[in-house]
Amino acid sequence: MNLTQVFTLMLMILCTCLSVELQANAKTLIEFSKDSPYAITKNSKAYDFPACQIYCYGPLLHTVQMAKLFPDSKTFVDMKLKATPEKTMEEFEAFMASKNNTPSRDDILQFVQANFGEKGTELDVWTPDDWTERPDFIELIRDPDLKQWGIDLNNIWKELGRKMKEDVHKNPEYYSIIPVPNPVIVPGGRFIEFYYWDSYWIIRGLLYSEMLHTARGMIENFLSIVQRIGFIPNGGRVYYWGRSQPPLLTAMVKSYVDFTKDDLFAINALEVLEHEFEYFMNNHTVQAKGYNLAAYRDTSTGPRPESYSEDVETSKSFETDAAKEEHYSELKAAAESGMDFSSRWFISANGTNSGNLTNAKTRSIVPVELNAILYWNAKIIAEFHSKAGNIDKMTEYETKAKKIQEAIQAVLWNEDAGCWLDYDLINEKPRDYFVPTNLSPLWVKAYNIPDAERISKSVLNYIAKNKLDSFPGGVPNTLLQSGEQWDFPNVWAPMQYILVEGLDNLGTPEAKEMSKRWGHRWVKSNFEAYRETLSMFEKYDAEKFGGHGGGGEYGVQTGFGWSNGVIIEWLTKYGRQITLSNTDAAGENA
Ligand SMILES: *[C@@H]1O[C@H](CO)[C@@H](O)[C@H](O)[C@H]1NC(C)=O
Ligand SMILES: *[C@@H]1O[C@H](CO)[C@@H](O)[C@H](O)[C@H]1NC(C)=O
Ligand SMILES: *[C@@H]1O[C@H](CO)[C@@H](O)[C@H](O)[C@H]1NC(C)=O
């Protein structure tokens, strides 16, 4: 027998054992769709938010946002209505008529003060009921300063907890917030509501902090949103209605089930998870080299409501309304990626990533991580079906996963670069620019596992070629300094996570060593920033050990949900190994 035959035989034996086990389980098959509290009802349909006429589009939004009343455009769309949306629109029409349709900035300010309340009043600060003073991960941390930091980070959950007021549930049309049943942990800073992909790292941090109930509540919120709206918007506001974010709900459920062994929760969630998966597969697909792959996009029209005047400003480079509308769509598609904004989404006339926001062509770029995450979703859904003893469905989702993996291999893997690369649909060529997401297939194992050795060599060469190990403050998001916040020199916790966990998963000694070095460095550099400022940041600075980031559309944000989540997970993972004494600035242990 040659090696392939041995493999095939082993696989056959494995499959036989697996299917025997599954048939045994089949006796206890759970009718998940009928009994699940999270079933998609026949009436589930695209949600019609009455508050959208105020907060999502239309003349009132345009008039107020173009008056630039507040330093941050997001302020206005987070303000509460004093009357129903219909009544407010009537007031607005009367107001405009009384000012001959040319109100001054002061007139508009008065109108807003008369008809809107403070922003953020729909949420109360909430202390999670399952918060404990000393979760077990603290005991795993050897260094006394890091141990105190772990205690501090655990305390911050209490500052980031928010619960919706009763009135939001009674009168949702008075608010831009999307009502959800359970309290949430928010990112912090200007982000006073839940965000979709942020919540993945927040939930993992909560699980390590033994706040299982809070974590589950947040996941149930997302499940309920898919039931009501059909997908999960970018964040918990109606004005995000046209776009989602990297779909990590299925991975959130898996994280919860891995911690709790609550298989029934996974099985009950299956119908919603399938629904969200199909939503992405049906509404985000593009064709590349004859394969179906997914890309980011948005279904609404007009500028982003929360950054309205900013988008109108960049659209001035375009002459026709149709061209402006295309531009808005590219910006909102970039927002769906979570990387708003970055040269990653620029395709200039000569096919490079040079230029500015007017060159955003997000919808024409096939992003590695979106496809890797969709592969992961299909794998997890298959796994949950096997828990339910549903072999047909398991096979169906394994097949879907395999098709996505084949497309990733055929279109996104790049032998010359030695890594996966985003694909440019306009110029029909790979985009050979570093982004951490280029390595995301390692994180979710969206590659042919027997190729791990070969991939490890390639990827480590890619890392060396791009000098990614040379930055004291972590691996930057790109190597181009454009002034956008998802570009050099900014470093983001979820991206460090994807890199470090990906290299760890790859499993070769060289990859694991790099993973550990980057993981230790990230913990130490975050701690240095914390020691100096007593703050956790939304983003950090690759060029400076302990540096924190800036640039982009808004000021420095602290809090900060996903940064805290990643550090808590890694204090658990590395807490026994890291000491702060005897380390150099690059974070190496001497
Ligand atoms: C998305 O796909 C679903 C099918 O999964 C379809 O019913 C729905 O109309 C699509 N939505 C949009 C906004 O295209
Ligand atoms: C592409 O065009 C930009 C200007 O838009 C220029 O700065 C850059 O050098 C060009 N790159 C190539 C490879 O031609
Ligand atoms: C962006 O690039 C376009 C096209 O090169 C140019 O006309 C515009 O002035 C630039 N905008 C900014 C803000 O630099």
Side-chain angles (χ1 to χ4, degrees), residues 4 110 117 161 278 370 493 504 522:
T4 318
Q110 275 176 26
E278 298 303 335
L370 177 57
D504 202 9
W522 183 246

Side-chain angles (χ1 to χ4, degrees), residues 35-196:
D35 300 334
S36 167
Y38 316 115
I40 302 282
T41 66
K42 290 252 164 15
N43 300 329
S44 298
K45 63 174 166 71
Y47 207 61
D48 203 5
F49 300 109
C52 251
Q53 56 190 304
I54 309 289
Y55 297 112
C56 307
Y57 40 72
L60 189 157
L61 180 74
H62 180 81
T63 305
V64 175
Q65 291 293 52
M66 291 312 290
K68 301 186 192 174
L69 301 179
F70 308 102
D72 186 339
S73 293
K74 189 172 179 299
T75 303
F76 169 65
V77 285
D78 293 349
M79 291 169 81
K80 174 192 188 298
L81 284 174
K82 290 185 177 167
T84 63
E86 293 73 20
K87 182 89 177 64
T88 307
M89 285 311 288
E90 281 169 27
E91 292 287 334
F92 176 70
E93 276 156 33
F95 161 74
M96 290 300 276
S98 76
K99 304 289 173 193
N100 280 325
N101 283 320
T102 50
S104 70
R105 187 173 177 279
D106 270 356
D107 295 337
I108 298 169
L109 185 59
Q110 275 176 26
F111 172 81
V112 169
Q113 282 165 348
N115 290 279
F116 291 81
E118 290 276 288
K119 72 158 188 168
T121 51
E122 64 276 68
L123 299 161
D124 287 326
V125 175
W126 166 76
T127 303
D129 46 21
D130 52 356
W131 182 86
T132 58
E133 212 156 307
R134 236 179 143 84
D136 278 349
F137 84 84
I138 305 284
E139 308 315 324
L140 301 174
I141 308 169
R142 199 173 75 180
D143 184 276
D145 290 336
L146 292 182
K147 193 188 276 281
Q148 183 55 47
W149 187 33
I151 294 169
D152 292 356
L153 291 178
N154 184 54
N155 280 328
I156 294 175
W157 292 133
K158 292 194 288 188
E159 290 165 31
L160 299 177
R162 296 288 183 280
K163 188 175 163 50
M164 282 176 200
K165 289 209 171 89
E166 245 343 273
D167 192 51
V168 175
H169 298 288
K170 283 197 209 123
N171 300 300
E173 72 274 22
Y174 282 68
Y175 301 89
S176 63
I177 200 112
I178 299 172
V180 286
N182 304 308
V184 297
I185 302 292
V186 300
R190 78 197 279 266
F191 304 105
I192 55 175
E193 55 287 291
F194 68 79
Y195 280 81
Y196 183 9

Side-chain angles (χ1 to χ4, degrees), residues 317 356 358-359:
S317 291
N356 61 39
T358 63
N359 301 102

Side-chain angles (χ1 to χ4, degrees), residues 348-352 354-355 359:
S348 56
N350 61 9
T352 68
S354 63
N359 301 102

